[in-house]
Amino acid sequence: MLPSQKSILKQLTPALLVATLATTSVNHSNNQGRVALAETTSGSQENIVFPKSAVVAQSKFTDIGGNWSRSCITELASQGIISGYPDGTFRPNASVTRAEFAAIISKAFPNAQKERNSIKFVDVPKSYWAYTAIETASQTKFLSGYPGQVFNPRQNIPRAQVLVALAQGLNYSPTQSATAILNGNFTDASSIPAYAESGIAAATEKRLVVNYPDVKYLKPNQSASRAEVSAFLCQALAGGKTSSVPQQYIAGVSSSTPLSPPSGTSTENIVFPKGAAIIDVTATAYGAKPNDGKDDTQAIQKALTRYPSGGRIIYLPNGVYNISDSLHWPPGNVSASDYKRTILQGQSRNGVIIQLKDKSAKFQNSSKPRPVISTGFDPDLDPNSKEFKASLVAQRFGNSIRNLTINTGKNNPGAEGLNFVANNYGATRSVKIISADGKGTTGLALTHGEVGPMLIEDVEVVGFDYGVRTNSAINSVTMQNITVRQQNKAGIFNRGQVISLDSFFSVNSVPAIINGNTCQGIDVGSTLTLVNANISGSGDAKNVSAISSCGFIYARNVLAKGYKNILTSNARGAVNKLSGNNIIEYTSHRTISEFPSPSESLQLPIKRVPKLAWDDPKTWANVQQFGAKSNDNKDDTAAFQAAIDSGATTVVVPRNGEFTINGSLRLRGKVRRFMGTQGWINGTGEIVADNGTQPTLIIQDFSIRYPKSSLKWRSIANRTVVFRDIEHLNLESSGTGDLFIEDAVMAGVKFLNPKQSIWARQINPENPSVIGIVNKGAKLWILGLKTEEVGSTKIETSNGGFTELLGGHVYANGKQRRNPLFRIINASASFAGVAEANFAGQGFQTWVEETRGNQTKQLIRANVPNRVSANGRVLVLYAGYK
């Protein structure tokens, strides 16, 4: 704000202006802008005049820094849907009148259809400032009046009315019993007015209901605050999908009551066409037979073992598969093809159940845990053997498990549900791990050797001593949407790893998270970045902390109830104890800035990766049907393009050889999913995400023959584009559409359009000769960065761009070239939870180089807190923005 603006605003008191969330209009017909007549707190009207430069609709407010709805408020303000007060505040806790809400609706849904005739409300004259907005809100069915054609424009609107208005205006109706939905989600359901039951039930199903700080407490008759109205709107505008609202406050997201999927989604039904080169365990060659009660261990293991490092998808159709021993990835050749590039894919999470036999002989010793599924080693190997020692090294590239349930049965106290290892890229996604009787050592064990980088997404663990457990200081784990329930010792036990975790839900009587080895002294370097968590305790939870730590923690938007306190830390130099039940933002060690900056993270809006319904495999186009031939070293660009332009919405590249792209392949037209089934692509050309008739394009499961191939990826699209599960995603994006990257390794990526927003999860740039991530003006949010080599800068933000990093691991090997780890050039950035492993003994000597105007400052290595493990350092939070 300019000094001249400040002097003008000082002449105005809050009583002279109620700056509504969306009603300010400016007339530029003369030398001054005239703000529309606005209600004062006394109900009178004032004609307030500002210079044209006095902007009321702003995206940075001075009073929302720690507010739970900050990201949502900022997002809506940037879209011009809401606005603040002339003094730079937003006043998130202030109430909203019915007139103000009508004005908001007109901004948020300008194209809503008018379905009712105009009503002449007796208390809304045509001269009233919100007359048009109220008339429109009534005609579009968002708002109704009271008997006698009364509207009550100055009445503060209750939360129930806001939710009913959104449900009515968006034509939402409940698909289940309204009573069951409400009773299953809200502890105060009995206080919901009868007129609002159906509307609130529908809003709950569509994920529009946001309750802070207790997601189960609706408060239907309480006046809606400006922050709450903003949150409801963010969810409504996102169509009930993930918006910038913290997930732990959205009713139904973690509820035990099943709800209908949001509009545009369907239940999982992952089915492939015959030509996709998928390995079906029920095929005659393998012989697994689900639902017959017989042992399928040998059949499934036969399919797993057949293609070491083959990039194969081992597929399980829906059904129960009974096993009596561990399943493990193919051993292959030691230190070559062993335990890598294998995917176990179920048809659906709830439909595919791998069921361990009760009281299985090999799963009885809890001091020697044995996994039901192991992706990194054969559990029968001698721990002193050459083969076992080789399996500990970070070479388990591309392993994944998707869309299935693992049930460890009863009376198997030595069972681990899943021991998962992947390196560089690989994911456990949409998986449920259950102990039928609560026994067993660990549900998800991330404990074998050098684990990560990897992605753990949409995973639920029920029972076991530990829900999730780690046991290494390298190479990082990125986690998204994790639920742990009914553990015996802890929900998550982090023994040294670098964890980046967004959207965490825990229901337990034990600590939800223990971050550190024993927490009886200085930890070796357990580093946790935690955002958006809902922790519920019962029973003995009242005697312990929800989170205990002796390591490094950055935490934001964390809610805990039923515990003694929310967080206790024994880390040296940390705040020892946080009382209460809510963390707005917390850093275990001081925030560092080289220039004057807010002492908090950037807090960019968060969006989840969009999900598309799985197309009928009969409608897929296979590139081989259009002339593509694998392994002939001839250009397949024309054949690929013909498949893309065939009108199919899903195009598949089968994993039965190596294809070549030397030209420019355009992903356009009707295609919304371009799927590689881990197929190899070679060539000197490019694959371009282009515009098309589908609003979202998903590109997934590709491996590029790097360094043999110089193939590049580009995005020029103005639609949403998703890159998922890709080996060597060397990408340049100049498009404007939302861009998502999930679980990918690459030399480097470039984001060149200031109009684009990017969300990246588990991203791994490694080439020491190029800058890992270049952000020239875009808005970039990263959950989980892993990188190697100290030769090049890993993130460079310039041209007014925004970069927020939440969690990162720096494997500082290679030759030092004096480049900074992070560079900020007249831009905005924050880096949280960045931990280093420095085995080479050099490391980055400059961690952050920041330039503002013509002045440059550096954060040097000596000023970053020590991480005992691996001779490293940890940057808990760096804030580099105005």
Side-chain angles (χ1 to χ4, degrees), residues 219-247:
K219 303 163 290 185
N221 302 308
Q222 180 175 302
S223 295
S225 70
R226 288 159 62 86
E228 290 170 336
V229 168
S230 299
F232 294 151
L233 273 179
C234 279
Q235 285 300 104
L237 291 169
K241 301 177 184 177
T242 302
S243 71
S244 51
V245 176
Q247 295 292 288

Side-chain angles (χ1 to χ4, degrees), residues 17 102 337 622 662 773 878:
L17 177 67
S337 61
N622 187 321
N662 290 331
I773 300 171
Y878 183 91

Side-chain angles (χ1 to χ4, degrees), residues 473 497-498 525-527 552 785 807-811 832-837 847 867 872-875:
Q497 262 293 0
V498 181
S526 302
T527 304
F552 301 89
L785 167 81
H809 177 66
V810 180
Y811 194 97
V834 181
E836 176 199 45
W847 275 57
R867 184 186 187 216
R873 303 273 173 162
V874 176
L875 185 59

Side-chain angles (χ1 to χ4, degrees), residues 21-23 76 79-82 100-112 133 136-137 140 142 166 170 229-230 232-238:
L21 284 89
T23 58
L76 294 179
Q79 298 174 22
I81 294 173
I82 62 174
E100 291 168 350
F101 183 67
I104 297 167
I105 290 296
S106 68
K107 288 283 187 180
F109 304 101
N111 298 318
T136 301
T140 54
F142 277 100
L166 291 172
L170 297 172
V229 168
S230 299
F232 294 151
L233 273 179
C234 279
Q235 285 300 104
L237 291 169

Side-chain angles (χ1 to χ4, degrees), residues 154-175:
R154 297 180 179 86
Q155 179 191 64
N156 290 337
I157 189 166
R159 285 166 51 86
Q161 281 191 21
V162 173
L163 293 169
V164 170
L166 291 172
Q168 288 182 164
L170 297 172
N171 294 313
Y172 290 161
S173 298
T175 62

Side-chain angles (χ1 to χ4, degrees), residues 550-567:
C550 48
F552 301 89
I553 289 188
Y554 170 82
R556 187 174 82 212
N557 289 335
V558 179
L559 174 68
K561 62 180 180 179
Y563 282 87
K564 180 180 179 181
N565 65 296
I566 194 166
L567 185 147

